[in-house]
Amino acid sequence: MKKKMRLKVLLASTATALLLLSGCQSNQADQTVATYSGGKVTESNFYKELKQSPTTKTMLANMLIYRALNHAYGKSVSTKTVNDAYDSYKQQYGENFDAFLSQNGFSRSSFKESLRTNFLSEVALKKLKKVSESQLKAAWKTYQPKVTVQHILTSDEDTAKQVISDLAAGQDFATLAKTDSIDTATKDNGGKISFESNNKTLDATFKDAAYKLKNGDYTQTPVKVTDGYEVIKMINHPAKGTFTSSKKALTASVYAKWSRDSSIMQRVISQVLKNQNVTIKDKDLADALDSYKKLATTN
């Protein structure tokens, strides 16, 4: 099951070039970037042109957001955490990993930086916005404990229907997973995965279909998800437990929901930028962070 792409901030090398050129202009003579038969392109020419690009302010904002987050919370996100997440994506996409990066506009290094930005954003969220008792009680109404399922992901509905027919005829789920599933990360272990209701990498449709199953049951019709069609079998669906014993999981569930809410995360980033005294000196780029300036976190 491929993880859904959830990278909030895309860092671009153009923004880095923009700031470097800005520094160069104030500290040394205008350098030549390139020449042609009719003249040359200087750093000031290039910098001026960059500032006219519609995407430059967005790239500058992204760069400042990353640096502010990293300065504030960098010690809370280890290199190992980022590398583990990177390796998970790499394993998930296998030989298609480079194509995945290219399609999403990433190099390997910028992808790692975006993953780090996600982790830093989550740390900031937990530091700046606390979960109330009433919010935990609201989450309890739809809470699901950790479940274990087997699944077979197919690229088309007809294959998924055939899998269901094969299961009805008595064929083994794990064997079918090895032959029919396109999820390279789970097919060789029978398609087995475990997850909680706050899991952010699984398609919500997948989780909803799984939670409806009792132990030993499997979906009778293909489940349409982002990457294709799923057949799901419930292995272990435990009892819900009590509110008190589930508070830790409920808190994680609320934070996971908030992290997917763009308006909440924008307010969090706004507070980080304010706390880090982020100021843009270039008057032509001064409004790059305007969408954040009037926002504040809501506890």
Side-chain angles (χ1 to χ4, degrees):
M1 184 183 314
K2 292 183 174 65
K3 295 182 178 180
K4 296 176 70 177
M5 193 67 178
R6 286 192 59 256
L7 302 177
K8 308 179 191 72
V9 180
L10 172 59
L11 305 171
S13 58
T14 308
T16 305
L18 180 73
L19 295 186
L20 289 175
L21 286 170
S22 176
C24 287
Q25 291 182 66
S26 61
N27 295 318
Q28 63 186 57
D30 198 8
Q31 300 293 306
T32 299
V33 175
T35 61
Y36 58 101
S37 58
K40 63 182 180 180
V41 176
T42 65
E43 286 178 343
S44 61
N45 298 146
F46 186 40
Y47 182 58
K48 183 178 180 180
E49 192 70 24
L50 279 175
K51 291 198 294 184
Q52 304 309 310
S53 170
T55 60
T56 296
K57 289 180 182 179
T58 299
M59 290 187 291
L60 176 58
N62 287 343
M63 186 177 187
L64 290 171
I65 289 169
Y66 172 75
R67 292 193 174 194
L69 283 167
N70 199 48
H71 183 260
Y73 305 111
K75 292 181 180 179
S76 299
V77 179
S78 68
T79 299
K80 184 179 184 303
T81 297
V82 176
N83 286 340
D84 286 349
Y86 177 89
D87 290 341
S88 178
Y89 273 96
K90 190 174 180 180
Q91 179 185 15
Q92 198 74 38
Y93 284 89
E95 62 183 18
N96 297 317
F97 182 60
D98 287 335
F100 159 76
L101 293 178
S102 177
Q103 289 166 7
N104 287 280
F106 289 110
S107 65
R108 294 195 174 208
S109 61
S110 67
F111 182 55
K112 280 190 176 182
E113 206 155 327
S114 291
L115 289 171
R116 181 171 177 81
T117 300
N118 274 348
F119 287 121
L120 290 168
S121 298
E122 290 172 3
V123 173
L125 172 64
K126 293 175 182 178
K127 293 289 187 181
L128 298 174
K129 187 174 175 63
K130 301 305 179 183
V131 182
S132 68
E133 188 77 3
S134 61
Q135 288 166 331
L136 290 177
K137 289 179 179 178
W140 174 247
K141 294 177 181 179
T142 58
Y143 170 73
Q144 289 283 350
K146 186 175 184 178
V147 299
T148 300
V149 303
Q150 288 175 284
H151 82 106
I152 296 172
L153 173 63
T154 67
S155 58
D156 61 89
E157 187 176 13
D158 287 342
T159 302
K161 287 180 177 179
Q162 184 59 53
V163 168
I164 293 171
S165 295
D166 292 340
L167 289 171
Q171 293 195 40
D172 179 62
F173 199 103
T175 301
L176 291 172
K178 287 184 178 181
T179 58
D180 295 324
S181 181
I182 61 173
D183 182 3
T184 56
T186 64
K187 63 183 298 181
D188 290 334
N189 74 339
K192 186 178 292 186
I193 55 172
S194 298
F195 57 90
E196 296 176 328
S197 55
N198 65 335
N199 186 292
K200 297 177 290 185
T201 65
L202 300 181
D203 193 301
T205 307
F206 178 95
K207 292 191 294 183
D208 290 343
Y211 291 141
K212 293 176 182 178
L213 298 172
K214 296 179 180 179
N215 291 341
D217 290 346
Y218 58 85
T219 50
Q220 298 299 306
T221 57
V223 179
K224 180 70 175 72
V225 295
T226 304
D227 298 312
Y229 293 84
E230 293 273 13
V231 180
I232 309 164
K233 180 179 180 179
M234 179 58 67
I235 303 301
N236 182 32
H237 193 165
K240 188 172 180 177
T242 65
F243 172 73
T244 301
S245 66
S246 303
K247 277 192 174 183
K248 183 177 180 180
L250 289 169
T251 300
S253 177
V254 172
Y255 276 127
K257 181 180 179 180
W258 284 349
S259 73
R260 296 190 295 270
D261 188 318
S262 59
S263 62
I264 289 176
M265 292 310 300
Q266 196 173 26
R267 288 196 294 272
V268 169
I269 297 302
S270 174
Q271 190 64 49
V272 173
L273 294 172
K274 181 179 179 181
N275 292 347
Q276 291 296 303
N277 300 310
V278 175
T279 304
I280 299 173
K281 304 296 186 181
D282 190 307
K283 64 179 182 180
D284 294 324
L285 301 169
D287 61 350
L289 293 171
D290 274 5
S291 61
Y292 296 94
K293 283 184 177 178
K294 295 181 180 180
L295 298 173
T297 55
T298 302
N299 292 313

Tab-separated table of all heavy atoms in Angstrom, residues 119-160:
chain	number	residue	atom	x	y	z
A	119	PHE	N	8.211	16.596	9.860
A	119	PHE	CA	8.441	16.200	11.255
A	119	PHE	C	8.558	17.430	12.161
A	119	PHE	O	8.022	17.449	13.272
A	119	PHE	CB	9.702	15.340	11.369
A	119	PHE	CG	9.535	13.941	10.834
A	119	PHE	CD1	10.341	13.473	9.802
A	119	PHE	CD2	8.586	13.086	11.365
A	119	PHE	CE1	10.190	12.185	9.313
A	119	PHE	CE2	8.432	11.793	10.883
A	119	PHE	CZ	9.233	11.345	9.853
A	120	LEU	N	9.264	18.453	11.686
A	120	LEU	CA	9.410	19.678	12.469
A	120	LEU	C	8.056	20.352	12.682
A	120	LEU	O	7.770	20.873	13.768
A	120	LEU	CB	10.358	20.641	11.747
A	120	LEU	CG	11.831	20.235	11.703
A	120	LEU	CD1	12.595	21.123	10.718
A	120	LEU	CD2	12.459	20.311	13.082
A	121	SER	N	7.213	20.330	11.654
A	121	SER	CA	5.877	20.931	11.754
A	121	SER	C	5.045	20.217	12.813
A	121	SER	O	4.281	20.852	13.560
A	121	SER	CB	5.164	20.872	10.404
A	121	SER	OG	5.858	21.600	9.431
A	122	GLU	N	5.177	18.898	12.879
A	122	GLU	CA	4.426	18.122	13.865
A	122	GLU	C	4.902	18.422	15.282
A	122	GLU	O	4.099	18.482	16.221
A	122	GLU	CB	4.543	16.638	13.547
A	122	GLU	CG	3.781	16.249	12.278
A	122	GLU	CD	4.049	14.823	11.835
A	122	GLU	OE1	4.787	14.115	12.559
A	122	GLU	OE2	3.538	14.418	10.783
A	123	VAL	N	6.223	18.603	15.438
A	123	VAL	CA	6.751	18.991	16.754
A	123	VAL	C	6.195	20.350	17.156
A	123	VAL	O	5.747	20.543	18.297
A	123	VAL	CB	8.296	19.032	16.730
A	123	VAL	CG1	8.829	19.606	18.048
A	123	VAL	CG2	8.867	17.639	16.505
A	124	ALA	N	6.212	21.291	16.216
A	124	ALA	CA	5.693	22.628	16.491
A	124	ALA	C	4.218	22.573	16.882
A	124	ALA	O	3.787	23.263	17.817
A	124	ALA	CB	5.878	23.519	15.260
A	125	LEU	N	3.446	21.773	16.183
A	125	LEU	CA	2.025	21.629	16.493
A	125	LEU	C	1.819	21.190	17.939
A	125	LEU	O	1.010	21.768	18.674
A	125	LEU	CB	1.397	20.605	15.536
A	125	LEU	CG	-0.042	20.175	15.820
A	125	LEU	CD1	-0.997	21.356	15.693
A	125	LEU	CD2	-0.464	19.043	14.875
A	126	LYS	N	2.572	20.180	18.379
A	126	LYS	CA	2.410	19.655	19.737
A	126	LYS	C	2.905	20.628	20.801
A	126	LYS	O	2.399	20.647	21.927
A	126	LYS	CB	3.137	18.314	19.857
A	126	LYS	CG	2.487	17.219	19.014
A	126	LYS	CD	3.285	15.930	19.036
A	126	LYS	CE	2.628	14.887	18.135
A	126	LYS	NZ	3.406	13.625	18.087
A	127	LYS	N	3.892	21.434	20.441
A	127	LYS	CA	4.409	22.419	21.388
A	127	LYS	C	3.465	23.611	21.542
A	127	LYS	O	3.338	24.177	22.634
A	127	LYS	CB	5.773	22.923	20.915
A	127	LYS	CG	6.888	21.888	20.935
A	127	LYS	CD	7.318	21.545	22.339
A	127	LYS	CE	8.542	20.634	22.319
A	127	LYS	NZ	8.973	20.269	23.707
A	128	LEU	N	2.817	24.004	20.467
A	128	LEU	CA	2.057	25.249	20.449
A	128	LEU	C	0.549	25.079	20.602
A	128	LEU	O	-0.151	26.060	20.859
A	128	LEU	CB	2.345	26.006	19.149
A	128	LEU	CG	3.799	26.432	18.942
A	128	LEU	CD1	3.986	27.043	17.562
A	128	LEU	CD2	4.237	27.415	20.026
A	129	LYS	N	0.054	23.857	20.446
A	129	LYS	CA	-1.397	23.643	20.533
A	129	LYS	C	-1.674	22.392	21.355
A	129	LYS	O	-1.266	21.299	20.972
A	129	LYS	CB	-1.991	23.515	19.131
A	129	LYS	CG	-3.515	23.464	19.090
A	129	LYS	CD	-4.007	23.486	17.646
A	129	LYS	CE	-5.518	23.318	17.550
A	129	LYS	NZ	-6.261	24.430	18.192
A	130	LYS	N	-2.350	22.545	22.473
A	130	LYS	CA	-2.607	21.428	23.377
A	130	LYS	C	-4.020	20.880	23.185
A	130	LYS	O	-4.944	21.600	22.805
A	130	LYS	CB	-2.416	21.871	24.830
A	130	LYS	CG	-1.015	22.390	25.127
A	130	LYS	CD	0.063	21.375	24.755
A	130	LYS	CE	1.461	21.906	25.031
A	130	LYS	NZ	2.504	20.929	24.598
A	131	VAL	N	-4.166	19.589	23.459
A	131	VAL	CA	-5.453	18.906	23.305
A	131	VAL	C	-6.235	18.993	24.611
A	131	VAL	O	-5.723	18.638	25.677
A	131	VAL	CB	-5.243	17.425	22.926
A	131	VAL	CG1	-6.589	16.733	22.718
A	131	VAL	CG2	-4.384	17.312	21.669
A	132	SER	N	-7.483	19.440	24.535
A	132	SER	CA	-8.317	19.567	25.728
A	132	SER	C	-9.059	18.266	26.018
A	132	SER	O	-9.163	17.373	25.168
A	132	SER	CB	-9.331	20.700	25.533
A	132	SER	OG	-10.285	20.340	24.544
A	133	GLU	N	-9.606	18.173	27.210
A	133	GLU	CA	-10.379	16.992	27.614
A	133	GLU	C	-11.613	16.832	26.725
A	133	GLU	O	-11.971	15.721	26.332
A	133	GLU	CB	-10.800	17.132	29.075
A	133	GLU	CG	-11.452	15.887	29.661
A	133	GLU	CD	-10.454	14.786	30.011
A	133	GLU	OE1	-9.238	15.011	29.843
A	133	GLU	OE2	-10.890	13.710	30.454
A	134	SER	N	-12.260	17.934	26.395
A	134	SER	CA	-13.456	17.863	25.557
A	134	SER	C	-13.112	17.382	24.149
A	134	SER	O	-13.891	16.656	23.516
A	134	SER	CB	-14.144	19.229	25.481
A	134	SER	OG	-13.283	20.199	24.901
A	135	GLN	N	-11.942	17.761	23.666
A	135	GLN	CA	-11.509	17.309	22.345
A	135	GLN	C	-11.187	15.814	22.364
A	135	GLN	O	-11.442	15.097	21.393
A	135	GLN	CB	-10.295	18.124	21.882
A	135	GLN	CG	-10.654	19.553	21.505
A	135	GLN	CD	-9.456	20.464	21.375
A	135	GLN	OE1	-8.429	20.279	22.029
A	135	GLN	NE2	-9.576	21.483	20.536
A	136	LEU	N	-10.648	15.329	23.482
A	136	LEU	CA	-10.391	13.896	23.619
A	136	LEU	C	-11.702	13.112	23.647
A	136	LEU	O	-11.811	12.049	23.020
A	136	LEU	CB	-9.600	13.616	24.900
A	136	LEU	CG	-8.147	14.071	24.937
A	136	LEU	CD1	-7.533	13.774	26.303
A	136	LEU	CD2	-7.340	13.368	23.849
A	137	LYS	N	-12.693	13.629	24.337
A	137	LYS	CA	-13.994	12.951	24.412
A	137	LYS	C	-14.670	12.910	23.047
A	137	LYS	O	-15.315	11.916	22.689
A	137	LYS	CB	-14.889	13.638	25.438
A	137	LYS	CG	-14.431	13.405	26.881
A	137	LYS	CD	-15.332	14.117	27.877
A	137	LYS	CE	-14.857	13.839	29.304
A	137	LYS	NZ	-15.694	14.553	30.308
A	138	ALA	N	-14.495	13.978	22.267
A	138	ALA	CA	-15.064	13.994	20.917
A	138	ALA	C	-14.370	12.958	20.043
A	138	ALA	O	-15.017	12.254	19.246
A	138	ALA	CB	-14.910	15.390	20.312
A	139	ALA	N	-13.056	12.826	20.203
A	139	ALA	CA	-12.296	11.846	19.425
A	139	ALA	C	-12.664	10.419	19.812
A	139	ALA	O	-12.643	9.506	18.979
A	139	ALA	CB	-10.798	12.074	19.622
A	140	TRP	N	-13.037	10.227	21.076
A	140	TRP	CA	-13.379	8.894	21.583
A	140	TRP	C	-14.596	8.306	20.858
A	140	TRP	O	-14.707	7.093	20.685
A	140	TRP	CB	-13.651	8.980	23.080
A	140	TRP	CG	-14.152	7.716	23.718
A	140	TRP	CD1	-15.385	7.502	24.263
A	140	TRP	CD2	-13.434	6.487	23.877
A	140	TRP	NE1	-15.484	6.233	24.762
A	140	TRP	CE2	-14.298	5.584	24.539
A	140	TRP	CE3	-12.164	6.063	23.540
A	140	TRP	CZ2	-13.920	4.288	24.852
A	140	TRP	CZ3	-11.779	4.769	23.847
A	140	TRP	CH2	-12.650	3.895	24.497
A	141	LYS	N	-15.481	9.168	20.402
A	141	LYS	CA	-16.709	8.709	19.744
A	141	LYS	C	-16.421	7.906	18.473
A	141	LYS	O	-17.186	7.008	18.114
A	141	LYS	CB	-17.602	9.907	19.422
A	141	LYS	CG	-18.137	10.633	20.654
A	141	LYS	CD	-18.963	11.845	20.258
A	141	LYS	CE	-19.474	12.585	21.485
A	141	LYS	NZ	-20.260	13.800	21.118
A	142	THR	N	-15.342	8.242	17.791
A	142	THR	CA	-15.011	7.546	16.537
A	142	THR	C	-13.694	6.779	16.633
A	142	THR	O	-13.192	6.286	15.632
A	142	THR	CB	-14.918	8.555	15.374
A	142	THR	OG1	-13.928	9.552	15.689
A	142	THR	CG2	-16.253	9.222	15.125
A	143	TYR	N	-13.145	6.675	17.828
A	143	TYR	CA	-11.838	6.028	18.005
A	143	TYR	C	-11.889	4.531	17.691
A	143	TYR	O	-12.861	3.850	18.000
A	143	TYR	CB	-11.359	6.225	19.442
A	143	TYR	CG	-10.144	5.399	19.802
A	143	TYR	CD1	-8.888	5.727	19.319
A	143	TYR	CD2	-10.276	4.277	20.615
A	143	TYR	CE1	-7.777	4.969	19.639
A	143	TYR	CE2	-9.165	3.515	20.958
A	143	TYR	CZ	-7.923	3.867	20.456
A	143	TYR	OH	-6.823	3.095	20.777
A	144	GLN	N	-10.829	4.048	17.064
A	144	GLN	CA	-10.660	2.613	16.819
A	144	GLN	C	-9.286	2.190	17.353
A	144	GLN	O	-8.297	2.880	17.140
A	144	GLN	CB	-10.722	2.310	15.327
A	144	GLN	CG	-12.095	2.447	14.712
A	144	GLN	CD	-12.992	1.263	15.049
A	144	GLN	OE1	-12.531	0.254	15.589
A	144	GLN	NE2	-14.268	1.369	14.728
A	145	PRO	N	-9.214	1.052	18.066
A	145	PRO	CA	-7.919	0.585	18.576
A	145	PRO	C	-7.050	0.029	17.446
A	145	PRO	O	-7.494	-0.067	16.296
A	145	PRO	CB	-8.331	-0.528	19.550
A	145	PRO	CG	-9.611	-1.048	18.969
A	145	PRO	CD	-10.322	0.159	18.395
A	146	LYS	N	-5.845	-0.337	17.772
A	146	LYS	CA	-4.925	-0.896	16.780
A	146	LYS	C	-5.452	-2.234	16.272
A	146	LYS	O	-5.795	-3.118	17.046
A	146	LYS	CB	-3.538	-1.089	17.398
A	146	LYS	CG	-2.480	-1.543	16.404
A	146	LYS	CD	-1.113	-1.590	17.071
A	146	LYS	CE	-0.024	-1.948	16.074
A	146	LYS	NZ	1.321	-1.960	16.711
A	147	VAL	N	-5.526	-2.348	14.953
A	147	VAL	CA	-6.009	-3.581	14.329
A	147	VAL	C	-4.918	-4.164	13.432
A	147	VAL	O	-3.998	-3.462	13.003
A	147	VAL	CB	-7.284	-3.330	13.497
A	147	VAL	CG1	-8.408	-2.820	14.368
A	147	VAL	CG2	-7.008	-2.378	12.342
A	148	THR	N	-5.034	-5.443	13.143
A	148	THR	CA	-4.121	-6.113	12.221
A	148	THR	C	-4.943	-6.730	11.099
A	148	THR	O	-5.927	-7.437	11.357
A	148	THR	CB	-3.312	-7.210	12.921
A	148	THR	OG1	-2.539	-6.621	13.975
A	148	THR	CG2	-2.362	-7.898	11.941
A	149	VAL	N	-4.556	-6.449	9.872
A	149	VAL	CA	-5.272	-6.986	8.713
A	149	VAL	C	-4.277	-7.564	7.710
A	149	VAL	O	-3.065	-7.360	7.812
A	149	VAL	CB	-6.102	-5.884	7.999
A	149	VAL	CG1	-7.076	-5.225	8.958
A	149	VAL	CG2	-5.186	-4.833	7.360
A	150	GLN	N	-4.801	-8.306	6.770
A	150	GLN	CA	-4.082	-8.663	5.554
A	150	GLN	C	-4.744	-7.920	4.409
A	150	GLN	O	-5.965	-7.701	4.431
A	150	GLN	CB	-4.148	-10.174	5.295
A	150	GLN	CG	-3.316	-11.021	6.240
A	150	GLN	CD	-3.544	-12.497	5.982
A	150	GLN	OE1	-4.578	-13.027	6.384
A	150	GLN	NE2	-2.606	-13.151	5.318
A	151	HIS	N	-3.972	-7.524	3.432
A	151	HIS	CA	-4.572	-6.820	2.307
A	151	HIS	C	-3.884	-7.188	1.002
A	151	HIS	O	-2.710	-7.577	0.971
A	151	HIS	CB	-4.512	-5.300	2.522
A	151	HIS	CG	-3.196	-4.693	2.163
A	151	HIS	ND1	-3.008	-3.940	1.023
A	151	HIS	CD2	-1.990	-4.751	2.771
A	151	HIS	CE1	-1.753	-3.542	0.958
A	151	HIS	NE2	-1.110	-4.016	2.006
A	152	ILE	N	-4.618	-7.060	-0.073
A	152	ILE	CA	-4.094	-7.280	-1.428
A	152	ILE	C	-4.473	-6.050	-2.247
A	152	ILE	O	-5.659	-5.762	-2.437
A	152	ILE	CB	-4.675	-8.556	-2.065
A	152	ILE	CG1	-4.238	-9.797	-1.274
A	152	ILE	CG2	-4.251	-8.677	-3.530
A	152	ILE	CD1	-4.914	-11.085	-1.711
A	153	LEU	N	-3.468	-5.321	-2.685
A	153	LEU	CA	-3.683	-4.131	-3.510
A	153	LEU	C	-3.521	-4.506	-4.978
A	153	LEU	O	-2.509	-5.075	-5.371
A	153	LEU	CB	-2.678	-3.042	-3.140
A	153	LEU	CG	-2.673	-1.785	-4.022
A	153	LEU	CD1	-4.015	-1.054	-3.934
A	153	LEU	CD2	-1.531	-0.852	-3.611
A	154	THR	N	-4.531	-4.192	-5.782
A	154	THR	CA	-4.477	-4.471	-7.215
A	154	THR	C	-4.623	-3.161	-7.993
A	154	THR	O	-5.155	-2.176	-7.486
A	154	THR	CB	-5.595	-5.438	-7.650
A	154	THR	OG1	-6.868	-4.789	-7.492
A	154	THR	CG2	-5.559	-6.710	-6.812
A	155	SER	N	-4.165	-3.176	-9.227
A	155	SER	CA	-4.224	-1.961	-10.043
A	155	SER	C	-5.576	-1.767	-10.718
A	155	SER	O	-5.895	-0.673	-11.166
A	155	SER	CB	-3.123	-1.989	-11.103
A	155	SER	OG	-3.258	-3.149	-11.920
A	156	ASP	N	-6.383	-2.836	-10.773
A	156	ASP	CA	-7.688	-2.711	-11.436
A	156	ASP	C	-8.751	-3.495	-10.671
A	156	ASP	O	-8.463	-4.421	-9.909
A	156	ASP	CB	-7.614	-3.214	-12.882
A	156	ASP	CG	-7.218	-4.671	-12.966
A	156	ASP	OD1	-8.119	-5.526	-12.938
A	156	ASP	OD2	-6.003	-4.946	-13.045
A	157	GLU	N	-9.993	-3.120	-10.893
A	157	GLU	CA	-11.118	-3.703	-10.163
A	157	GLU	C	-11.342	-5.173	-10.523
A	157	GLU	O	-11.690	-5.982	-9.649
A	157	GLU	CB	-12.381	-2.893	-10.437
A	157	GLU	CG	-13.578	-3.304	-9.598
A	157	GLU	CD	-14.778	-2.415	-9.819
A	157	GLU	OE1	-14.770	-1.632	-10.799
A	157	GLU	OE2	-15.728	-2.491	-9.021
A	158	ASP	N	-11.145	-5.533	-11.763
A	158	ASP	CA	-11.376	-6.920	-12.186
A	158	ASP	C	-10.453	-7.891	-11.458
A	158	ASP	O	-10.878	-8.985	-11.071
A	158	ASP	CB	-11.179	-7.054	-13.703
A	158	ASP	CG	-12.323	-6.422	-14.495
A	158	ASP	OD1	-13.399	-6.201	-13.895
A	158	ASP	OD2	-12.129	-6.128	-15.692
A	159	THR	N	-9.190	-7.492	-11.279
A	159	THR	CA	-8.250	-8.358	-10.550
A	159	THR	C	-8.700	-8.524	-9.112
A	159	THR	O	-8.642	-9.632	-8.555
A	159	THR	CB	-6.833	-7.776	-10.599
A	159	THR	OG1	-6.416	-7.634	-11.956
A	159	THR	CG2	-5.849	-8.688	-9.864
A	160	ALA	N	-9.151	-7.429	-8.500
A	160	ALA	CA	-9.629	-7.504	-7.117
A	160	ALA	C	-10.839	-8.421	-7.004
A	160	ALA	O	-10.968	-9.207	-6.055
A	160	ALA	CB	-9.965	-6.099	-6.608
